[in-house]
Amino acid sequence: MKTMHNIDSYTHVRGESLFVDDIITRQDTLFGLVFDAPKAHGKIKSVNYRKAEALEGIVKIFTYEDIIGENQIGGILPDEPLWAEDEVHFWGQPIAFIVAESETIAKKARQLIDIEIEELPVITTAKEAKTKGSFINAPRSFSLGNTEEAFNNCDYMLEGETFSNGQEHLYLETQGCYAIPQENGSIKLISSTQGPTAIQKIAARVLGVPMHKIEVDVTRLGGGFGGKEDQATPWAVMTAVAVQHLGKPVKYILNRHDDLRMTGKRHPYSSFFKIGLNKELKIIAFEAEFLQNSGAAADLSPAIAERTLFHATNSYFVPNVKTSVYSCKTNLPPNTAFRGFGGPQGMFVIESAIAAAADHIGVDKRLIQEANLLAENDEFSYGQIATQVEAESTWFSAKNTFKLETLEQEIIAFNENNELFKKGISLMPIAFGISFTNTPMNHARALVHIYQDGSVGVSTGAVEMGQSVNTKMLQVAQDILGISAAKVKLETTNTTRVANTSPSAASSTADLNGKAVQMACNALLDRLTKVAAEMIEEDVTTITIQNDRVHIHGKESKLSWEDLIAQAMLERVALSENAHYATPIINFDKTKEKGHPFAYHVYGTAITTVTVDCMRGIYEIDAVKIVHDFGKSMNIGIDLGQVEGALAQGIGWMTLEEIAYGNDGRLLSNALSTYKVPDIFSAPRMIETVPLETAGNDMAIFKSKAVGEPPLMYGIGTYFAIQQAVKAFNKKYKLKFHAPFTPEKVLMALYEK
Ligand code: LUZ
Ligand code: MOS
């Protein structure tokens, strides 16, 4: 299997990599700071900026009244102002933008702004929003077969309720943008965004200028995780408005507190399930109702709700399914994309339903899981027929490779011999659909230049956010052109070089942009082999390029890459190529809620073992052992890194990370002292990932399957392993499905009567 270091490693380690706040600023740069709502819901009676404006060094305080275009930043639905007008809908909602000669002055000014708000009732939970009929849009519903009839023929039927909390992205680099005026009213925005085109489009709308006046440039992000798919936009647009008025560069980098308070997170979900099984443990019917806590505006919530439905049956085949999802409007910051995009929330519910059923019937959870794994040609509830399914293969391979029965026996023995420590084990299979669920978003472009000295510059719509997509793009160019890595440079992601891009998201960035790079390089290669054929008087079909040299019948010739390029230049052959890729086959009909939305699925199975300290309620994750379907990995080092990172993030979501808002809508978990993320001590003591041997899938770049999001859901296994250990200590514990399973909750469960 191939591997190659992340091409950013060298500059990262030396502290030389450039992030937004590292860009050398112009001398006349001004600094921005948001003034945001100090209440979660209310009418703005008055805002008094006089004292703030009087401060020395304050240049201007911008409000909605300064907007020349539209005060509207909504992506999917037009329901979110850039700056509040007469009402606020969440604590932290931007109201004004202070621009000053320094950040310190802006901070002082912020404290001098007086605001009077007439408070309105605050909704913080999805359940309350549903009761009050507060929704973002109409609910969606998927169905297959007939659940009502099927429930009549079940031997077992269970109903239950689950909750999974939100999750803070905690990208190391906070949100921010540096905006620089150009000639004739053009503005360049250097932003930490997953979606450069989203910023260009929304900035143009708010400023009331054509998109060609706005250039967005992205070098790399210090992490995104979905938090910068839509929510990098407001800060960039604010700096752009300021530049439009002031004609000077404006920079705004959020400090951590402001970032935590003002940005949305993973959506908390309250869900209800009903599951029916027969004596053979086959799941005959499954119903679920998902209440998504969307926050105060749509943001990406409708798309995230949709993905919850797509993943509601995880990697199982269920013949009768009925699921619905409500995007509930609350007074929290608009919740947003987060690795998995609603999929993990859906999968947690069916895993909970299976756990509840197993407990009721008195069998191991894994027997029900195993009896229902998806097989070739099974139909998903949304109509796609499953092909190249690896649900059973990864499951049984994990069982065998990691000797599941031995592990189980060890756990039984350990639990018999220990009073105050108990172990638990769980299996967690995953199936994750690859493609934006919104079919029109599945496209990308690449622009490849071969310079006359033979060096190559590659531009794509992909944003590097630490996931190493640029390394993969470089590998594609290098592989197709047959040249060494040192000859290829990845350029910044810039809207003037690659336009109309989809965000780097949905685990699809390497596939979409990689296919475009592949197409561009193949077109160049075609032209170059013709030039070479003439130069060495050989038939073009015999010619390849490998290791920086032209080869004839696979044998090295005297003609070097450099000489070939020099000759192509003399012959006036085009050495640049722009290619466009759009995923074939995929489709989805929202009126029927049926189609074939995914290019393919990624599968895998994780076995998690944990030890619970039954005196204290704390726990350790002993090991997570995974068989994962990478297809044919084009860079196994990077892909294994993605699995481990995603797993840790999934474990954090399921165990430690507890977002808390007060009833007044104020974020309580507003610092790392009150919001715990996994560190080295809470990570599994051992992670072992074994790639499944498969043929790979042609819709994946070089048959190397998407890897960004799917492994996050292995973390769900931790919840059920802990639950099993708790049950081993306290037989009276009634299973609850309320994530995260924090040590406090574990302690209460251990001593529940
Ligand atoms: N973003 C998006 C995503 O806009 N559509 C998607 O389907 C998606 N899926 C996962 C992550 N981000
Ligand atoms: Mo995402 S959750 O921005 O792929």
Side-chain angles (χ1 to χ4, degrees):
M1 260 173 294
K2 276 196 189 165
T3 196
M4 174 181 175
H5 287 304
N6 180 325
I7 53 174
D8 282 347
S9 332
Y10 185 77
T11 53
H12 278 356
V13 169
R14 293 168 59 97
E16 292 169 358
S17 296
L18 296 179
F19 299 88
V20 178
D21 209 8
D22 299 315
I23 307 283
I24 294 174
T25 53
R26 246 168 65 172
Q27 206 171 357
D28 56 347
T29 295
L30 300 170
F31 296 85
L33 184 69
V34 163
F35 169 70
D36 59 297
K39 293 286 173 204
H41 193 197
K43 285 195 175 12
I44 300 177
K45 301 310 280 184
S46 69
V47 195
N48 189 337
Y49 297 106
R50 262 181 315 226
K51 275 183 278 174
E53 280 166 344
L55 208 62
E56 168 118 14
I58 290 294
V59 178
K60 186 171 165 63
I61 300 179
F62 291 90
T63 69
Y64 72 92
E65 291 179 335
D66 297 300
I67 290 173
I68 292 170
E70 269 180 82
N71 183 22
Q72 184 49 253
I73 61 167
I76 296 182
L77 297 175
D79 67 349
E80 191 178 357
L82 179 68
W83 291 309
E85 300 192 4
D86 42 19
E87 279 191 8
V88 293
H89 293 270
F90 65 92
W91 199 302
Q93 182 175 349
I95 296 171
F97 190 56
I98 306 160
V99 177
E101 283 167 11
S102 79
E103 231 180 294
T104 318
I105 297 168
K107 272 189 203 155
K108 269 192 201 147
R110 181 156 80 174
Q111 288 170 341
L112 296 175
I113 299 172
D114 291 316
I115 183 164
E116 214 186 321
I117 292 178
E118 183 188 313
E119 290 185 58
L120 293 167
V122 171
I123 303 177
T124 59
T125 67
K127 276 191 187 173
E128 189 185 346
K130 170 124 193 287
T131 309
K132 294 190 170 156
S134 171
F135 300 111
I136 295 286
N137 61 350
R140 297 270 299 273
S141 195
F142 285 9
S143 81
L144 178 71
N146 183 334
T147 49
E148 248 171 73
E149 252 173 45
F151 277 122
N152 292 329
N153 302 319
C154 288
D155 297 308
Y156 309 105
M157 210 268 286
L158 266 293
E159 284 178 286
E161 196 178 332
T162 74
F163 176 79
S164 61
N165 207 337
Q167 186 174 24
E168 166 58 42
H169 303 86
L170 214 83
Y171 24 66
L172 277 181
E173 181 196 25
T174 55
Q175 306 271 7
C177 183
Y178 182 42
I180 310 146
Q182 313 284 307
E183 293 180 333
N184 298 316
S186 293
I187 298 172
K188 180 170 178 174
L189 301 171
I190 298 174
S191 163
S192 180
T193 181
Q194 292 173 240
T197 292
I199 289 186
Q200 184 192 18
K201 182 172 141 187
I202 308 285
R205 182 202 289 168
V206 175
L207 271 59
V209 300
M211 280 173 78
H212 71 213
K213 294 273 190 200
I214 307 287
E215 171 186 352
V216 182
D217 191 78
V218 183
T219 300
R220 65 165 67 70
L221 278 51
F225 310 114
K228 296 169 181 171
E229 183 176 336
D230 239 31
Q231 298 207 358
T233 301
W235 333 107
V237 176
M238 288 180 204
T239 57
V241 172
V243 169
Q244 185 182 32
H245 285 265
L246 302 173
K248 285 187 178 177
V250 176
K251 179 159 144 174
Y252 180 33
I253 310 284
L254 278 69
N255 70 37
R256 184 64 70 183
H257 260 109
D258 285 4
D259 188 306
L260 291 173
R261 182 179 66 255
M262 296 193 289
T263 65
K265 309 175 192 318
R266 184 190 291 286
H267 293 74
Y269 271 62
S270 288
S271 312
F272 306 89
F273 64 79
K274 189 169 164 186
I275 189 169
L277 301 91
N278 68 13
K279 286 238 155 56
E280 286 72 50
L281 302 181
K282 286 274 184 206
I283 304 172
I284 304 300
F286 178 68
E287 287 185 355
E289 181 177 284
F290 301 100
L291 307 187
Q292 175 197 61
N293 187 334
S294 312
D299 191 274
L300 291 161
S301 295
I304 291 159
E306 177 177 77
R307 197 175 267 280
T308 301
L309 299 185
F310 283 118
H311 294 95
T313 53
N314 190 12
S315 56
Y316 308 109
F317 172 66
V318 183
N320 301 286
V321 180
K322 188 162 191 304
T323 52
S324 40
V325 62
Y326 293 81
S327 292
C328 302
K329 188 170 177 172
T330 62
N331 297 109
L332 300 186
N335 285 316
T336 194
F338 195 130
R339 207 172 191 173
F341 206 75
Q345 290 96 319
M347 292 189 195
F348 179 66
V349 176
I350 187 148
E351 292 302 324
S352 297
I354 292 173
D359 189 62
H360 172 80
I361 302 167
V363 296
D364 235 318
K365 175 171 185 264
R366 78 163 169 89
L367 295 180
I368 300 181
Q369 292 173 303
E370 193 170 303
N372 293 282
L373 291 170
L374 200 68
E376 206 65 15
N377 298 321
D378 279 342
E379 185 178 349
F380 287 103
S381 68
Y382 45 92
Q384 183 159 343
I385 303 300
T387 55
Q388 292 190 280
V389 181
E390 307 292 356
E392 291 185 329
S393 55
T394 57
W395 176 276
F396 290 107
S397 168
K399 271 179 78 172
N400 297 332
T401 310
F402 305 123
K403 305 198 168 53
L404 179 71
E405 312 224 313
T406 314
L407 284 176
E408 285 177 334
Q409 279 158 15
E410 282 168 8
I411 285 174
I412 291 168
F414 179 95
N415 287 350
E416 276 171 3
N417 294 320
N418 288 275
E419 290 268 320
L420 291 177
F421 288 88
K422 296 290 179 192
K423 283 187 187 287
I425 187 167
S426 77
L427 274 79
M428 180 66 204
I430 59 155
F432 196 79
I434 302 303
S435 289
F436 287 92
T437 56
N438 183 23
T439 303
M441 290 173 78
N442 294 283
H443 60 83
R445 280 153 302 289
L447 176 63
V448 179
H449 296 313
I450 302 174
Y451 296 101
Q452 51 193 293
D453 67 351
S455 65
V456 173
V458 177
S459 294
T460 73
V463 168
E464 175 61 49
M465 51 187 135
Q467 87 281 43
S468 309
V469 71
N470 278 355
T471 307
K472 288 188 174 176
M473 296 305 98
L474 185 149
Q475 285 183 280
V476 174
Q478 154 187 30
D479 189 277
I480 305 283
L481 296 176
I483 57 178
S484 48
K487 287 202 164 38
V488 185
K489 180 188 171 213
L490 260 291
E491 303 293 352
T492 64
T493 313
N494 186 299
T495 51
T496 67
R497 268 179 273 114
V498 179
N500 305 321
T501 59
S502 290
S504 285
S507 305
S508 302
T509 318
D511 276 359
L512 298 174
N513 292 277
K515 292 267 188 183
V517 173
Q518 184 178 31
M519 287 165 72
C521 290
N522 273 325
L524 288 163
L525 186 66
D526 239 32
R527 298 206 279 270
L528 290 170
T529 45
K530 280 187 196 125
V531 175
E534 278 175 30
M535 285 175 82
I536 52 185
E537 294 174 4
E538 285 283 344
D539 189 78
V540 71
T541 56
T542 68
I543 291 180
T544 54
I545 304 174
Q546 298 165 45
N547 306 321
D548 300 323
R549 295 203 85 82
V550 171
H551 284 57
I552 308 159
H553 289 297
K555 279 218 200 95
E556 200 175 294
S557 80
K558 284 202 197 102
L559 185 56
S560 71
W561 168 262
E562 283 81 359
D563 291 342
L564 172 62
I565 300 304
Q567 182 63 27
M569 232 356 239
L570 290 176
E571 290 179 23
R572 298 182 291 173
V573 170
L575 293 177
S576 293
E577 186 70 20
N578 177 44
H580 171 86
Y581 174 75
T583 314
I585 300 168
I586 54 171
N587 63 79
F588 196 70
D589 181 348
K590 281 194 192 182
T591 62
K592 300 196 177 78
E593 301 288 29
K594 296 282 179 196
H596 186 110
F598 298 120
Y600 57 88
H601 286 77
V602 171
Y603 297 89
T605 299
I607 302 180
T608 304
T609 46
V610 302
T611 307
V612 174
D613 174 340
C614 302
M615 279 271 279
R616 299 173 180 83
I618 56 177
Y619 43 77
E620 258 183 19
I621 300 162
D622 302 324
V624 180
K625 300 181 179 193
I626 300 165
V627 172
H628 186 81
D629 161 30
F630 294 99
K632 296 231 168 288
S633 174
M634 66 182 284
N635 190 326
I636 192 66
I638 279 165
D639 286 351
L640 287 172
Q642 286 293 304
V643 171
E644 291 178 11
L647 171 68
Q649 208 160 29
I651 290 174
W653 173 55
M654 279 287 112
T655 61
L656 298 176
E657 300 184 38
E658 196 163 34
I659 302 254
Y661 287 97
N663 291 334
D664 57 359
R666 188 164 72 104
L667 180 66
L668 302 174
S669 51
N670 67 347
L672 289 183
S673 50
T674 47
Y675 186 75
K676 183 87 181 86
V677 287
D679 56 16
I680 190 68
F681 302 105
S682 42
R685 298 194 134 216
M686 179 191 170
I687 300 174
E688 191 177 345
T689 309
V690 175
L692 181 80
E693 296 284 330
T694 71
N697 187 299
D698 286 328
M699 303 271 266
I701 181 66
F702 288 171
K703 299 185 187 245
S704 178
K705 283 189 169 183
V707 73
E709 296 173 291
L712 183 133
M713 283 142 277
Y714 292 136
I716 296 172
T718 315
Y719 190 97
F720 296 97
I722 294 172
Q723 189 168 59
Q724 198 197 49
V726 168
K727 191 88 190 178
F729 180 80
N730 179 10
K731 300 281 169 295
K732 290 199 184 128
Y733 164 64
K734 279 235 271 318
L735 303 195
K736 277 172 236 11
F737 308 101
H738 196 284
F741 215 164
T742 57
E744 290 92 330
K745 281 195 212 148
V746 170
L747 192 64
M748 289 195 285
L750 288 165
Y751 295 96
E752 174 182 299
K753 293 204 172 96

